[in-house]
Amino acid sequence: MENKQLVQILNLDGSLSNGNIVINEKLAIEMYKLLVINRVFDRKLVNMQRKGQIGTYASFEGQEASQVGSAMSLLEQDWMFPTYRDHAAMLTFGYEMVKIIWYWMGRIEGCIPPNHRNILPPYVPIATQIPQATGAAWASKYKNHDACSLVYFGDGATSEGDFHEGLNMASVFKAPVVFFCQNNGYAISVPYSRQTASETIAQKAIAYGMDNVRIDGNDVFAVYLTTKNALEAARSGKGPTLIEAVTYRYGPHTTADDASRYRSTEEGEAWKSRDPILRLEAYLSRQGLLNQDEQGSVYREAELLVNDGIKYALSIPKADPNIMFENVLSEKPWNVQEQESNFNRFMQRSSSIEFTEG
Ligand SMILES: Cc1ncc(C[n+]2csc(CCOP(=O)(O)OP(=O)(O)O)c2C)c(N)n1
């Protein structure tokens, strides 16, 4: 059941590790565009933080293939449970770009899920999304909704009780959920070796009788195919899978962190030779699907798209704070109704208070 070997399809030089695999050209181009959009988006959000337009930001640069490849394998009716670092997954599955920007600007509208997709807002309390994803998957099975949950978390989250509770229940009830761990080697400054004595994250599934796969998280083809297979297995009633995607975040934990205090520059440089975008570029140019001009226009289009998103996010006035009472519960219980009417009374009173100079 355990597999310590990394599943890899796309070699570093852009060749395929297995000659029998057929890659759909359109899909490969779409993956490339999404990887580029997300990298451009990520860099521009770091810049926004530097300009003081957002408070803090958690960059995912380096982890794009893990997020884009997995999110692309979802079906429309599925559920996504992302963390504060999974914006590439969210954007790929249909969370509006402007809302991700608002989220980081501290604006409540950033947490409103899109109408047409089951995407939860980013989870900050580590691992809490895991049992919730199991619950949603179990509910979907119970109601015959044919919807799977895909839940993201980091290596650090696997040390939390919620991880074990979520996996145990999912396995016992064969809930249609895929647990997607991006093992980027660190939980803030804590390295993998201080996080767990398990040789791999994938092996943690064995205790729960669950299928597990360890993949090269910088190989978008391996990520896509593995997640797609795991979702199909979950959908067909075979139960959950734990996927460990081995990857690396190039930047610090967040813009408030200084990674040079716990990681060497050489380590980061070594990972850059495994870069997910460069590898796909190498594949596409080998196949004659991408030349320098086309590459340039993919980047230019991504710039325009992200610039438009940022401009729009900055131009819209803040929403009425009242919306904090919406979009959380389908029916408001009495205590939330009471809080809402108290809040409205308070807002009315504070707007009618006249201040006189005394
Ligand atoms: C329950 C809980 N404990 C502690 C924290 C503080 N915290 C924020 S991010 C983080 C590290 C998480 O690391 P990992 O799960 O590997 O995800 P990564 O940030 O590497 O994507 C910690 C401990 C938190 N947000 N929630």
Side-chain angles (χ1 to χ4, degrees):
M1 217 177 211
E2 183 192 2
N3 193 348
K4 281 184 205 154
Q5 261 193 320
L6 282 187
V7 173
Q8 190 185 313
I9 293 173
L10 188 55
N11 294 327
L12 300 192
D13 64 0
S15 60
L16 296 184
S17 62
N18 181 338
N20 296 327
I21 289 184
V22 179
I23 305 286
N24 178 299
E25 288 183 3
K26 261 171 101 179
L27 185 74
I29 301 273
E30 198 188 333
M31 283 170 166
Y32 179 64
K33 287 184 177 167
L34 282 166
L35 291 178
V36 172
I37 288 169
N38 279 293
R39 180 155 296 182
V40 169
F41 174 81
D42 193 63
R43 289 186 177 174
K44 285 194 184 280
L45 262 76
V46 172
N47 287 343
M48 283 185 79
Q49 192 279 333
R50 297 287 181 252
K51 288 195 252 174
Q53 290 168 322
I54 55 181
T56 187
Y57 177 70
S59 161
F60 55 79
E61 184 168 344
Q63 300 184 205
E64 296 93 342
S66 287
Q67 297 187 22
V68 169
S70 52
M72 282 182 85
S73 64
L74 286 166
L75 299 185
E76 279 184 12
Q77 71 271 24
D78 289 336
W79 287 75
M80 175 182 282
F81 293 78
T83 76
Y84 49 82
R85 201 185 300 290
D86 299 317
H87 324 310
M90 294 172 81
L91 278 172
T92 301
F93 193 41
Y95 207 89
E96 299 93 330
M97 185 182 287
V98 67
K99 286 194 188 159
I100 299 178
I101 302 169
W102 280 336
Y103 172 82
W104 287 105
M105 289 170 77
R107 287 178 56 165
I108 201 165
E109 310 95 295
C111 286
I112 302 173
N115 291 330
H116 60 296
R117 287 284 186 279
N118 300 316
I119 310 178
L120 276 289
Y123 281 71
V124 176
I126 303 299
T128 50
Q129 70 277 24
I130 300 174
Q132 293 188 16
T134 296
W138 187 42
S140 147
K141 180 176 173 179
Y142 187 73
K143 293 179 170 177
N144 281 323
H145 279 180
D146 185 37
C148 294
S149 293
L150 176 62
V151 53
Y152 293 92
F153 50 91
D155 39 299
T158 68
S159 303
E160 291 279 358
D162 274 348
F163 167 78
H164 299 277
E165 291 163 26
L167 263 70
N168 184 58
M169 183 176 161
S171 215
V172 171
F173 289 91
K174 290 207 182 307
V177 47
V178 173
F179 299 98
F180 195 94
C181 177
Q182 287 167 84
N183 175 4
N184 63 13
Y186 294 86
I188 314 184
S189 56
V190 178
Y192 186 89
S193 58
R194 295 293 289 165
Q195 187 65 246
T196 176
S198 303
E199 202 175 333
T200 70
I201 297 285
Q203 76 188 58
K204 295 187 188 220
I206 297 169
Y208 303 108
M210 188 185 295
D211 280 341
N212 57 90
V213 196
R214 198 161 182 260
I215 56 176
D216 180 340
N218 287 10
D219 170 351
V220 72
F221 295 156
V223 174
Y224 174 78
L225 286 174
T226 306
T227 317
K228 197 165 176 284
N229 289 342
L231 285 167
E232 272 164 20
R235 224 179 286 283
S236 70
K238 287 193 187 133
T241 302
L242 171 62
I243 298 175
E244 175 186 0
V246 179
T247 184
Y248 195 77
R249 65 166 153 78
Y250 291 161
H253 172 72
T254 65
T255 47
D257 172 46
D258 174 5
S260 70
R261 295 182 62 169
Y262 55 87
R263 300 189 315 194
S264 69
T265 319
E266 295 75 41
E267 185 181 287
E269 286 311 313
W271 271 94
K272 288 193 177 155
S273 67
R274 308 181 64 84
D275 186 79
I277 299 186
L278 296 182
R279 269 157 95 173
L280 187 56
E281 253 162 29
Y283 169 80
L284 293 173
S285 49
R286 267 171 177 264
Q287 300 296 314
L289 298 172
L290 186 77
N291 61 32
Q292 290 278 315
D293 286 350
E294 287 158 341
Q295 199 176 310
S297 60
V298 169
Y299 271 88
R300 275 193 300 280
E301 274 170 33
E303 288 267 333
L304 289 176
L305 186 78
V306 179
N307 285 345
D308 279 355
I310 294 174
K311 215 162 122 191
Y312 181 64
L314 293 171
S315 70
I316 301 288
K318 281 186 191 166
D320 188 326
N322 239 324
I323 66 162
M324 72 176 145
F325 295 102
E326 309 300 329
N327 304 293
V328 178
L329 303 162
S330 58
E331 281 170 35
K332 287 178 205 160
W334 68 267
N335 56 332
V336 175
Q337 287 177 30
E338 192 178 276
Q339 286 167 21
E340 187 175 10
S341 61
N342 285 343
F343 178 77
N344 283 332
R345 263 205 305 279
F346 169 78
M347 291 300 279
Q348 268 165 12
R349 229 180 318 132
S350 53
S351 65
S352 63
I353 292 172
E354 283 180 24
F355 293 96
T356 49
E357 280 182 49

